[in-house]
Amino acid sequence: GIDIKKHHVRNKNRQAPKSEDVYLLLLVKLYRFLARRTDSAFNKVVLKRLFMSRINRPPMSISRIARNLAGKQGKTAVVVGTVTDDIRLLEVPKLSIACLRITKTAKARVVKAGGEVITFDQLALRAPTGANTVLLRGKKNTREAVKHFGMGPGAHAKPYVQSKGRKFEKARGRRASRGFKV
């Protein structure tokens, strides 16, 4: 007969976080309940992101959050990941942020500007269905490692070099006076 794919078919998506962090596991317990008992897609997305690896939870700066919250009065930015400071942002607006972690300087600047930083359990009490929130995530491909991917002829990937000097990968294939230049 036809081999029906019914046996040994495993769902590759994470069903729980790999981490054993007790506080994260408590958050998972809370958002599992909310995802099951409310019909809001927000809670399902937050739960899925709580399971993710650190690479899939990229950090986000307060400047990017400020840009995304411009003209959205009274809304809370939700980041399932780390929020970092950005010294290029001179004036921090009044922000309301819910995140897993935030750096010390970023928190100080947000609070000084009259904003607030809340945790996910506080967010669950305040907005159990994710009302008046803006769900954000950082850029995944800005990692240093990504710059080195896809090396080959004609590709402009960053080489793994000791340092960027005259003696390092500057000979044949790299300049016209030494045979050829790619």
Side-chain angles (χ1 to χ4, degrees):
I2 303 159
D3 188 13
I4 45 175
K5 282 197 174 154
K6 212 164 205 174
H7 322 288
H8 315 294
V9 179
R10 182 167 72 95
N11 183 5
K12 296 266 176 49
N13 302 329
R14 281 190 183 185
Q15 305 301 321
K18 275 263 173 71
S19 162
E20 293 171 1
D21 180 359
V22 284
Y23 298 108
L24 181 66
L25 295 178
L26 280 170
L27 277 185
V28 166
K29 202 176 272 192
L30 169 65
Y31 273 90
R32 255 193 225 285
F33 174 79
L34 287 172
R36 193 180 76 240
R37 299 283 296 178
T38 63
D39 32 324
S40 90
F42 171 83
N43 290 324
K44 289 184 176 63
V45 173
V46 169
L47 179 65
K48 191 172 73 179
R49 288 189 193 175
L50 285 172
F51 296 162
M52 288 182 179
S53 60
R54 230 173 95 180
I55 283 174
N56 291 320
R57 290 187 282 109
M60 197 168 191
S61 65
I62 50 174
S63 58
R64 195 170 279 281
I65 291 173
R67 203 183 318 156
N68 280 294
L69 283 189
K72 293 176 183 164
Q73 228 60 41
K75 288 207 186 277
T76 305
V78 179
V79 181
V80 186
T82 309
V83 173
T84 55
D85 191 15
D86 191 348
I87 51 169
R88 298 167 299 181
L89 183 70
L90 302 173
E91 299 253 324
V92 181
K94 187 179 173 185
L95 297 171
S96 176
I97 305 173
C99 55
L100 284 178
R101 298 174 65 240
I102 187 166
T103 60
K104 211 185 323 181
T105 45
K107 185 171 183 175
R109 289 185 72 188
V110 169
V111 171
K112 190 181 175 188
E116 54 164 5
V117 179
I118 62 171
T119 55
F120 272 94
D121 51 319
Q122 291 168 314
L123 179 74
L125 288 171
R126 192 181 295 188
T129 59
N132 287 326
T133 60
V134 180
L135 190 56
L136 303 170
R137 54 177 159 182
K139 287 199 160 186
K140 203 174 147 186
N141 288 344
T142 51
R143 270 191 323 140
E144 167 63 22
V146 177
K147 294 178 182 174
H148 297 279
F149 293 167
M151 196 53 172
H156 298 286
K158 189 175 183 180
Y160 293 106
V161 196
Q162 259 180 355
S163 71
K164 195 178 158 88
R166 172 190 58 82
K167 301 190 283 187
F168 303 96
E169 300 198 10
K170 287 280 194 285
R172 184 173 169 273
R174 282 293 178 187
R175 52 169 117 185
S177 62
R178 303 283 184 275
F180 69 98
K181 165 110 172 70
V182 174

